[in-house]
Amino acid sequence: MSLSIGIVGLPNVGKSTLFNALLKKQIADASNYPFCTIAPNKGVVEVPDERLKVLAKISKSEKIVPAVVEFVDIAGLVAGASKGEGLGNQFLANIREVDAVCHVVRFFEDAKIAHISADIKPASDAELINTELIIADLQTLEKKGAPKSRAPKEDLVLWEAVQILKDELYKGKLAINVNLNDEQSNMVKGLCLLTMKPIIYVANISEEQILNFEKEQKDFPYKPVIPICAKMEAELAALNDEEQKEYLEQAGLDEPGLNRLIKLAYQTLGLVSFLTTGEKETRAWTILQGVSAREAAGVIHTDFSKNFIKAATITYADFVELNGWPGAKNAGKIRFEGADYIMKEGDIVEFKVGC
């Protein structure tokens, strides 16, 4: 499943530093998942999952394959992007192609790194980008004409939704925060509105701000926001596991900020993982929340979906406690689910399929 997160922000806020840290991290972890650069500004990164090593040890797996998310480093935006200023057209086109947005906002002070204004004002900077995206969406909505007489119901529903969106966007609200009913929401998907995409705000902070971020963010109105020191993450990515652990302890942190960002990005895309484990490999498979067992089987191979019989399923906790499939079978902890079973995050599964 190929879903992507676009990293956006004003010039010199740390987008590329963050993106490069993500890439270096994957090179360091290449023994688990072969890093892949799809294009100069795209990279596939693994989703940190401590469960995989545990399962691989129990199953004596030859290899581990984690779930992944694609990140895209998008050109910096300037005021007037919605009218083509700077790299505005490229910026907006790239955002349309991603499934969610990682909006990097500068919180750190550094006189050596230029900023678009004399003062660092995170809330104003974030508002600038959101305003440009809103203007671009309003341009899209203004192009939608009123339905003709005797128009089908779908056209009428879309027109109602367009009017609601226009009213709210002119007030400065993002489309994703506008209340539409299910029918209206489905009809506006085809408009590919920029502000309809889920957003994660990354506060790029200095090392000195790490332990005091609660104060730093009190005047920042956007959520969810995750504090990350991109400079520190770049340094961390070049260290081995032991060195990283020592570095984090000295900084008073439990794990790298990139790990938290990748996990949050995965969740923001509405993704969950189901797990398979055996001697050949232990693997996390990516599916959308709410997917059935038959659909999940099809992620492994299309024939598994066509010839689905049942899914032998067990929780991660039971699998670990009982030391694998044989122990789980003896303890009667394996559930046999049908095709309509809704997969849960962390389900460990063996699909039973016919010929």
Side-chain angles (χ1 to χ4, degrees), residues 53-74:
K53 287 184 180 179
V54 177
L55 295 178
K57 185 176 181 180
I58 293 172
S59 300
K60 298 180 173 60
S61 302
E62 295 176 11
K63 65 177 180 177
I64 294 174
V65 184
V68 296
V69 174
E70 179 185 279
F71 280 86
V72 183
D73 187 17
I74 295 176

Side-chain angles (χ1 to χ4, degrees), residues 11 40 43 73 96 141 145 148 217 223 232 242 255 282 325 346:
D73 187 17
R96 292 191 196 283
L141 294 170
K148 298 177 181 178
Q217 70 162 331
K223 299 290 184 292
M232 187 181 84
E242 280 302 312
E255 65 175 341
T282 290
W325 288 113

Side-chain angles (χ1 to χ4, degrees), residues 313-327:
T313 309
I314 184 172
T315 66
Y316 171 78
D318 284 343
F319 189 92
V320 173
E321 181 183 348
L322 299 167
N323 202 36
W325 288 113

Side-chain angles (χ1 to χ4, degrees), residues 108-280:
F108 69 90
E109 300 272 357
D110 190 334
K112 297 177 182 177
I113 301 177
H115 190 53
I116 61 166
S117 62
D119 301 316
I120 303 299
K121 297 179 179 178
S124 297
D125 291 353
E127 184 180 6
L128 190 156
I129 283 192
N130 287 341
T131 298
E132 292 298 329
L133 299 182
I134 287 172
I135 293 171
D137 279 351
L138 283 169
Q139 291 171 353
T140 298
L141 294 170
E142 292 290 356
K143 292 175 183 176
K144 298 299 296 182
K148 298 177 181 178
S149 59
R150 297 185 181 180
K153 181 185 175 183
E154 291 80 5
D155 289 356
L156 298 175
V157 172
L158 175 58
W159 181 244
E160 288 174 358
V162 166
Q163 298 311 303
I164 294 170
L165 285 165
K166 282 166 62 176
D167 287 345
E168 295 298 323
L169 265 62
Y170 272 117
K171 297 174 185 175
K173 187 177 285 190
L174 303 177
I176 196 170
N177 297 325
V178 175
N179 290 323
L180 298 174
N181 62 38
D182 291 343
E183 199 174 14
Q184 291 167 339
S185 295
N186 286 330
M187 291 307 302
V188 299
K189 285 179 181 177
L191 299 178
C192 299
L193 298 177
L194 301 173
T195 63
M196 192 64 83
K197 297 178 186 294
I199 301 177
I200 300 168
Y201 294 91
V202 170
N204 190 6
I205 58 178
S206 66
E207 292 186 55
E208 293 74 27
Q209 293 171 305
I210 289 175
L211 299 179
N212 297 309
F213 184 68
E214 289 302 317
K215 274 185 198 174
E216 299 282 345
Q217 70 162 331
K218 65 179 181 180
D219 295 323
F220 190 73
Y222 302 104
K223 299 290 184 292
V225 57
I226 179 170
I228 288 182
C229 176
K231 180 183 176 183
M232 187 181 84
E233 295 296 328
E235 294 171 356
L236 265 174
L239 303 178
N240 62 37
D241 289 346
E242 280 302 312
E243 291 169 333
Q244 281 193 17
K245 185 178 179 181
E246 184 178 343
Y247 193 120
L248 289 168
E249 286 176 354
Q250 291 176 353
L253 300 173
D254 297 325
E255 65 175 341
L258 291 181
N259 284 13
R260 290 182 287 116
L261 172 59
I262 296 166
K263 291 174 185 176
L264 181 57
Y266 196 70
Q267 295 166 7
T268 299
L269 288 169
L271 304 176
V272 295
S273 297
F274 71 88
L275 312 172
T276 57
T277 183
E279 290 186 6
K280 183 178 179 182

